[in-house]
Amino acid sequence: MWTPDEIPDLTGSTAVITGASGGIGVPTALELARHGARVVMTARDPDRGRAALEAVRAAAPGATAEVRALDLADLRSVRAFADTVDGPLELLVNNAGMGPMSRRTTADGFETQFGVNHLGHFALTGLLMPRLLAASAARVVTVSSDAHSLGAIDFENLGLERGYGMFSAYSRSKLANLLFAVELQRRADASGAALLSLATHPGMTATGILKPGALTRPFNALMRLVAQPVAKGARPSLYAATSPEARGGQYIGPGPKVLRPSPKALDEAVAARLWERSEALTGVRFGEIRQH
Ligand SMILES: NC(=O)c1ccc[n+]([C@@H]2O[C@H](COP(=O)([O-])OP(=O)(O)OC[C@H]3O[C@@H](n4cnc5c(N)ncnc54)[C@H](OP(=O)(O)O)[C@@H]3O)[C@@H](O)[C@H]2O)c1
């Protein structure tokens, strides 16, 4: 069984981890830092971000880690954060996520789970693409979920103004994550860029993803009983981010092992359409993914 002890020496590389103020993002940042990466943790809440950074520094003395502000529910914040990243970027872990919740909208008017989980990360990845392509072989890891298999993308109802359900909104956002990760690999392959894009499913993990509420109460109770600890939930991301055996386009689940995504996550027409709509909605255009 693969463990984080197998992570190679990452000295000289830089990693950005979104949503590193809690949950799975913290052990992800910790293990990358422990193995020598310069780690940029992002947080929407500065206090939670500082606390997570202190936890990483305490567990990995001498690690090079810092925390910067990033709110994926606001494209101005995404742009402001991306502007702070300079030099080659070897690793981007699109980990942050909002779990099932009543319908809300982001600063830009997007349904929040789609806006944060998918569109925010889509825009971030596009804005950081020049930095990723400046690295010799960068990786983008996008944290999806097995819940993606229950998702459906209705291009006539992307705002979910009709028929909103908190769990279907979550599944849809996770399907979008997986469609994006696979399509990014297709596009990198088409232009010969040395970029790997993978998606992951952490497995049911004891985190704060399900906020307390009447509808989520039974799921939270189940989670407390059967969920794995956060350090294990980070393993699929860590494997996808660092293993020499990982391949672009793979979907890595608990174990870590390679999972087969739902066929709808591999639908090329839907992926291409989602990409176009995501570019139009965010105003972030990837262009050709080519190394110069
Ligand atoms: N836990 C599971 O069983 C499970 C299963 C499958 C997939 N996943 C996926 O795993 C990833 C990590 O989730 P988790 O379980 O670790 O949940 P979590 O404990 O709630 O952590 C989520 C992280 O995302 C951040 N975040 C939320 N909204 C954000 C926003 N608007 N802008 C920037 N950051 C934001 C949170 O910040 P705050 O600290 O400010 O809240 C937190 O750092 C998610 O993508 C989730 O969908 C989790």
Side-chain angles (χ1 to χ4, degrees), residues 267-286:
D267 186 320
E268 295 190 30
V270 172
R273 194 169 172 196
L274 178 65
W275 191 282
E276 277 163 30
R277 286 294 288 276
S278 302
E279 286 194 335
L281 288 167
T282 61
V284 174
R285 293 186 190 281
F286 280 63

mmCIF file of all heavy atoms in Angstrom, residues 267-286:
data_model
loop_
_atom_site.group_PDB
_atom_site.id
_atom_site.type_symbol
_atom_site.label_atom_id
_atom_site.label_comp_id
_atom_site.label_asym_id
_atom_site.label_seq_id
_atom_site.Cartn_x
_atom_site.Cartn_y
_atom_site.Cartn_z
ATOM 1 N N ASP A 267 -17.362 12.128 -21.214
ATOM 2 C CA ASP A 267 -18.085 12.589 -22.403
ATOM 3 C C ASP A 267 -17.365 13.818 -22.987
ATOM 4 O O ASP A 267 -17.412 14.916 -22.408
ATOM 5 C CB ASP A 267 -19.538 12.935 -22.005
ATOM 6 C CG ASP A 267 -20.390 13.268 -23.205
ATOM 7 O OD1 ASP A 267 -19.902 13.951 -24.134
ATOM 8 O OD2 ASP A 267 -21.561 12.847 -23.219
ATOM 9 N N GLU A 268 -16.721 13.612 -24.140
ATOM 10 C CA GLU A 268 -15.880 14.686 -24.690
ATOM 11 C C GLU A 268 -16.686 15.895 -25.128
ATOM 12 O O GLU A 268 -16.232 17.034 -25.012
ATOM 13 C CB GLU A 268 -15.054 14.155 -25.863
ATOM 14 C CG GLU A 268 -14.056 13.102 -25.411
ATOM 15 C CD GLU A 268 -13.057 12.711 -26.483
ATOM 16 O OE1 GLU A 268 -12.725 13.546 -27.348
ATOM 17 O OE2 GLU A 268 -12.612 11.548 -26.453
ATOM 18 N N ALA A 269 -17.899 15.660 -25.651
ATOM 19 C CA ALA A 269 -18.714 16.785 -26.112
ATOM 20 C C ALA A 269 -19.147 17.645 -24.930
ATOM 21 O O ALA A 269 -19.103 18.888 -24.983
ATOM 22 C CB ALA A 269 -19.929 16.255 -26.880
ATOM 23 N N VAL A 270 -19.565 16.997 -23.858
ATOM 24 C CA VAL A 270 -19.982 17.749 -22.658
ATOM 25 C C VAL A 270 -18.782 18.495 -22.071
ATOM 26 O O VAL A 270 -18.885 19.664 -21.675
ATOM 27 C CB VAL A 270 -20.620 16.808 -21.609
ATOM 28 C CG1 VAL A 270 -20.876 17.534 -20.302
ATOM 29 C CG2 VAL A 270 -21.928 16.232 -22.148
ATOM 30 N N ALA A 271 -17.630 17.832 -22.044
ATOM 31 C CA ALA A 271 -16.432 18.469 -21.483
ATOM 32 C C ALA A 271 -16.056 19.714 -22.284
ATOM 33 O O ALA A 271 -15.720 20.755 -21.710
ATOM 34 C CB ALA A 271 -15.275 17.474 -21.460
ATOM 35 N N ALA A 272 -16.128 19.608 -23.608
ATOM 36 C CA ALA A 272 -15.760 20.755 -24.452
ATOM 37 C C ALA A 272 -16.759 21.903 -24.274
ATOM 38 O O ALA A 272 -16.384 23.074 -24.209
ATOM 39 C CB ALA A 272 -15.702 20.315 -25.915
ATOM 40 N N ARG A 273 -18.029 21.546 -24.152
ATOM 41 C CA ARG A 273 -19.052 22.579 -23.981
ATOM 42 C C ARG A 273 -18.908 23.257 -22.610
ATOM 43 O O ARG A 273 -19.052 24.472 -22.488
ATOM 44 C CB ARG A 273 -20.439 21.927 -24.128
ATOM 45 C CG ARG A 273 -21.522 22.926 -24.303
ATOM 46 C CD ARG A 273 -22.818 22.259 -24.698
ATOM 47 N NE ARG A 273 -23.894 23.241 -24.679
ATOM 48 C CZ ARG A 273 -25.162 22.963 -24.672
ATOM 49 N NH1 ARG A 273 -25.559 21.699 -24.701
ATOM 50 N NH2 ARG A 273 -26.077 23.911 -24.656
ATOM 51 N N LEU A 274 -18.624 22.446 -21.594
ATOM 52 C CA LEU A 274 -18.436 22.998 -20.247
ATOM 53 C C LEU A 274 -17.232 23.940 -20.233
ATOM 54 O O LEU A 274 -17.252 25.001 -19.603
ATOM 55 C CB LEU A 274 -18.231 21.859 -19.239
ATOM 56 C CG LEU A 274 -17.977 22.299 -17.789
ATOM 57 C CD1 LEU A 274 -19.191 23.003 -17.195
ATOM 58 C CD2 LEU A 274 -17.589 21.103 -16.924
ATOM 59 N N TRP A 275 -16.186 23.560 -20.947
ATOM 60 C CA TRP A 275 -14.975 24.382 -21.012
ATOM 61 C C TRP A 275 -15.306 25.757 -21.620
ATOM 62 O O TRP A 275 -14.937 26.798 -21.071
ATOM 63 C CB TRP A 275 -13.932 23.654 -21.864
ATOM 64 C CG TRP A 275 -12.560 24.225 -21.817
ATOM 65 C CD1 TRP A 275 -12.105 25.333 -22.482
ATOM 66 C CD2 TRP A 275 -11.448 23.732 -21.055
ATOM 67 N NE1 TRP A 275 -10.787 25.552 -22.190
ATOM 68 C CE2 TRP A 275 -10.352 24.588 -21.318
ATOM 69 C CE3 TRP A 275 -11.269 22.657 -20.189
ATOM 70 C CZ2 TRP A 275 -9.096 24.391 -20.741
ATOM 71 C CZ3 TRP A 275 -10.016 22.460 -19.619
ATOM 72 C CH2 TRP A 275 -8.949 23.323 -19.894
ATOM 73 N N GLU A 276 -16.025 25.707 -22.758
ATOM 74 C CA GLU A 276 -16.391 26.978 -23.426
ATOM 75 C C GLU A 276 -17.239 27.852 -22.519
ATOM 76 O O GLU A 276 -17.030 29.058 -22.404
ATOM 77 C CB GLU A 276 -17.191 26.695 -24.706
ATOM 78 C CG GLU A 276 -16.331 26.380 -25.894
ATOM 79 C CD GLU A 276 -17.131 25.714 -27.002
ATOM 80 O OE1 GLU A 276 -18.343 25.997 -27.117
ATOM 81 O OE2 GLU A 276 -16.540 24.889 -27.724
ATOM 82 N N ARG A 277 -18.241 27.241 -21.884
ATOM 83 C CA ARG A 277 -19.116 28.019 -20.992
ATOM 84 C C ARG A 277 -18.351 28.556 -19.801
ATOM 85 O O ARG A 277 -18.593 29.675 -19.337
ATOM 86 C CB ARG A 277 -20.302 27.157 -20.516
ATOM 87 C CG ARG A 277 -21.345 26.917 -21.590
ATOM 88 C CD ARG A 277 -22.076 28.197 -22.015
ATOM 89 N NE ARG A 277 -22.998 28.667 -20.995
ATOM 90 C CZ ARG A 277 -24.233 28.231 -20.822
ATOM 91 N NH1 ARG A 277 -24.725 27.334 -21.647
ATOM 92 N NH2 ARG A 277 -24.997 28.712 -19.864
ATOM 93 N N SER A 278 -17.417 27.764 -19.297
ATOM 94 C CA SER A 278 -16.635 28.202 -18.138
ATOM 95 C C SER A 278 -15.753 29.386 -18.525
ATOM 96 O O SER A 278 -15.588 30.332 -17.739
ATOM 97 C CB SER A 278 -15.794 27.043 -17.593
ATOM 98 O OG SER A 278 -16.633 25.956 -17.241
ATOM 99 N N GLU A 279 -15.200 29.349 -19.738
ATOM 100 C CA GLU A 279 -14.401 30.489 -20.198
ATOM 101 C C GLU A 279 -15.278 31.730 -20.332
ATOM 102 O O GLU A 279 -14.903 32.825 -19.910
ATOM 103 C CB GLU A 279 -13.742 30.175 -21.547
ATOM 104 C CG GLU A 279 -12.574 29.206 -21.429
ATOM 105 C CD GLU A 279 -11.697 29.134 -22.673
ATOM 106 O OE1 GLU A 279 -12.189 29.445 -23.783
ATOM 107 O OE2 GLU A 279 -10.525 28.756 -22.543
ATOM 108 N N ALA A 280 -16.476 31.532 -20.894
ATOM 109 C CA ALA A 280 -17.367 32.686 -21.086
ATOM 110 C C ALA A 280 -17.820 33.258 -19.740
ATOM 111 O O ALA A 280 -17.857 34.479 -19.544
ATOM 112 C CB ALA A 280 -18.579 32.262 -21.925
ATOM 113 N N LEU A 281 -18.147 32.384 -18.793
ATOM 114 C CA LEU A 281 -18.650 32.848 -17.493
ATOM 115 C C LEU A 281 -17.566 33.530 -16.665
ATOM 116 O O LEU A 281 -17.830 34.519 -15.978
ATOM 117 C CB LEU A 281 -19.241 31.668 -16.704
ATOM 118 C CG LEU A 281 -20.574 31.124 -17.228
ATOM 119 C CD1 LEU A 281 -20.900 29.769 -16.586
ATOM 120 C CD2 LEU A 281 -21.706 32.108 -16.958
ATOM 121 N N THR A 282 -16.347 32.992 -16.710
ATOM 122 C CA THR A 282 -15.283 33.546 -15.854
ATOM 123 C C THR A 282 -14.466 34.628 -16.555
ATOM 124 O O THR A 282 -13.771 35.397 -15.902
ATOM 125 C CB THR A 282 -14.295 32.442 -15.413
ATOM 126 O OG1 THR A 282 -13.686 31.881 -16.592
ATOM 127 C CG2 THR A 282 -15.001 31.344 -14.623
ATOM 128 N N GLY A 283 -14.526 34.631 -17.896
ATOM 129 C CA GLY A 283 -13.685 35.574 -18.638
ATOM 130 C C GLY A 283 -12.218 35.145 -18.666
ATOM 131 O O GLY A 283 -11.350 35.906 -19.080
ATOM 132 N N VAL A 284 -11.938 33.914 -18.228
ATOM 133 C CA VAL A 284 -10.556 33.404 -18.250
ATOM 134 C C VAL A 284 -10.421 32.442 -19.410
ATOM 135 O O VAL A 284 -11.112 31.426 -19.474
ATOM 136 C CB VAL A 284 -10.197 32.686 -16.926
ATOM 137 C CG1 VAL A 284 -8.816 32.043 -17.017
ATOM 138 C CG2 VAL A 284 -10.261 33.661 -15.760
ATOM 139 N N ARG A 285 -9.539 32.775 -20.354
ATOM 140 C CA ARG A 285 -9.333 31.925 -21.528
ATOM 141 C C ARG A 285 -7.972 31.274 -21.452
ATOM 142 O O ARG A 285 -6.982 31.942 -21.197
ATOM 143 C CB ARG A 285 -9.452 32.764 -22.806
ATOM 144 C CG ARG A 285 -10.860 33.245 -22.951
ATOM 145 C CD ARG A 285 -11.222 33.966 -24.209
ATOM 146 N NE ARG A 285 -12.558 34.522 -23.998
ATOM 147 C CZ ARG A 285 -13.682 33.830 -24.092
ATOM 148 N NH1 ARG A 285 -13.646 32.559 -24.441
ATOM 149 N NH2 ARG A 285 -14.841 34.390 -23.840
ATOM 150 N N PHE A 286 -7.973 29.959 -21.650
ATOM 151 C CA PHE A 286 -6.720 29.212 -21.545
ATOM 152 C C PHE A 286 -5.858 29.395 -22.791
ATOM 153 O O PHE A 286 -4.644 29.337 -22.726
ATOM 154 C CB PHE A 286 -7.001 27.714 -21.355
ATOM 155 C CG PHE A 286 -7.364 27.315 -19.955
ATOM 156 C CD1 PHE A 286 -8.516 27.791 -19.338
ATOM 157 C CD2 PHE A 286 -6.562 26.454 -19.243
ATOM 158 C CE1 PHE A 286 -8.856 27.403 -18.046
ATOM 159 C CE2 PHE A 286 -6.882 26.052 -17.949
ATOM 160 C CZ PHE A 286 -8.033 26.525 -17.353
#
